[in-house]
Amino acid sequence: MPKRSPRPAVTAALPPAPPVAGRPRALLRSGALAALTVLALTACTATPRPAARTREAPTRPPVTTRHALHRLVDDGAPGAASLTNRAGYPDARYATAGVADLRSGRTMRPRDHFRAGSLTKTLVATVVLQLVAEGRLSLHDSAAAHLPPGVPAVRDGDRSELRRVTIRQLLDHTSGLFNYTQDPRLSRQLFGKGFGAHRYDSHTPAELLRIALSHPPVSPPGAHYAYSNTNYLVLGLVIEAVTTHPYATEIRRRILGPARLTHTSFPGTDPVLPEPHGRAYSRAGGRRVDATSLDPSRAGAAGEMVTTLGDLNRFFAALLGGRLLPPRQMAQIHNEKGTGGAYGLGLYATRLPCGVTVWGHNGDINGSYVRTAGTADGRHIVSYRLNTDTLAHPAHGTAVLTAEFCASRRRP
């Protein structure tokens, strides 16, 4: 949900690699009697000499992201961590830099929970495309045709903007709908000086949509790409209208269960992160604040999800590997033609300097930034996160992906 330090580091892995087998230590004995004894025993038993063991293959991908994570900490993030899964390696590679808690100095842990922000959108898009595959929805349908009762109207009840906007335009951010998080008054409450006083305010999707529709569209529907959290707020309502269940219920049934995402949740209005977790730090009113606890209904279907690095990797491996969508919908989710190559349908491509193209999404919400990317077949995935919501140098974030995927081209 975009809103526009001490430096100890640990590089670890899940789980620890078994010790590499080596040659048994030779026992040297002296004296004629010892020599005769050895000869006699050898003659009697005829035991063959054991062959030297070969070196075991590594179980985890190589360490590639450590230096890039340190750079993010040097930029001002209290802590940074990454998790890599790669075909051919049974175990994941975890790396971290900096700290999860500025007071205790505790490092980030692989199973820590955190807020994933706009990575929620990829799961919402997946459910919408599943409904399309089932014939319960069409990408060409208007948004207004699939909204539950009570959805707010603009001024006198005119919903012309929503009648003209299609499901596809919501998915790829070409609807032109105003981004509700950019409303000046709400933005001050969510991210600015008013954060402390309003961090536990609850918001309904209808209320947030009313704020968005009180502003004129930024462009006609389909004109061009303009990222807006309002689009996925509406898609959450569309899922509810089509299935008669809240969008989070459908995600749990359709994605979390089948993909075994046991550490992912949609907290609604619950401000507390599940254990274990570190701290989350944000800038509000010109100073650093602890933003660990807040009411996530400010984000809703646009970014309320809480998860772990391991669950993000499992989800993207399942999605990109074709286990959650049929082939036709897989082609649609990758289709960036409507945005000039900026965004697909809840997914976007990043073209790295070495020529590798990876697919994924990023997300930020108060105190947390996270990004996941993987190869098109889902066989190589990396997720990384910071316990702050702002990248001082965005290119340094992409450098984590470059370190991982470009280094892999030079290594078996």
Side-chain angles (χ1 to χ4, degrees), residues 15 36 199-200 213 284-285 290 336:
L36 290 173
R199 66 192 301 163
Y200 297 117
L213 296 180
D290 188 319
E336 296 181 318

Side-chain angles (χ1 to χ4, degrees), residues 363-389:
D364 65 83
I365 190 170
N366 309 72
S368 179
Y369 178 90
V370 59
R371 186 171 182 180
T372 301
T375 52
D377 57 7
R379 291 169 59 82
H380 189 177
I381 306 285
V382 66
S383 294
Y384 73 90
R385 74 178 188 94
L386 312 177
N387 53 354
T388 189
D389 47 71

Side-chain angles (χ1 to χ4, degrees), residues 195-203 269 271 292-295 297-298:
F195 172 74
H198 295 279
R199 66 192 301 163
Y200 297 117
D201 289 358
S202 292
H203 303 273
T269 59
T292 308
S293 180
L294 56 82
D295 187 316
S297 62
R298 62 185 56 210

Side-chain angles (χ1 to χ4, degrees), residues 64 81 93 137 167 230 248 259 261 278 309-310 322 334 400:
T64 57
R93 169 68 70 180
L137 198 59
I167 300 299
T230 306
L261 308 184
L309 291 173
H334 287 94
V400 178

Side-chain angles (χ1 to χ4, degrees), residues 222-315:
H224 60 79
Y225 168 78
Y227 193 94
S228 173
N229 290 301
T230 306
N231 293 320
Y232 279 75
L233 194 74
V234 175
L235 287 171
L237 293 167
V238 168
I239 292 172
E240 180 179 346
V242 172
T243 67
T244 71
H245 301 135
Y247 85 92
T249 299
E250 287 297 308
I251 290 178
R252 292 187 195 102
R253 183 175 73 84
R254 293 168 174 268
I255 298 176
L256 303 194
R260 296 181 293 110
L261 308 184
T262 56
H263 302 290
T264 297
S265 60
F266 296 84
T269 59
D270 186 350
V272 180
L273 282 174
E275 294 290 348
H277 66 80
R279 311 307 296 174
Y281 300 98
S282 187
R283 305 294 298 186
R287 62 189 183 91
R288 174 180 275 167
V289 299
D290 188 319
T292 308
S293 180
L294 56 82
D295 187 316
S297 62
R298 62 185 56 210
E304 72 163 294
M305 184 171 70
V306 171
T307 189
T308 63
L309 291 173
D311 269 15
L312 286 178
N313 282 13
R314 275 186 288 276
F315 166 66

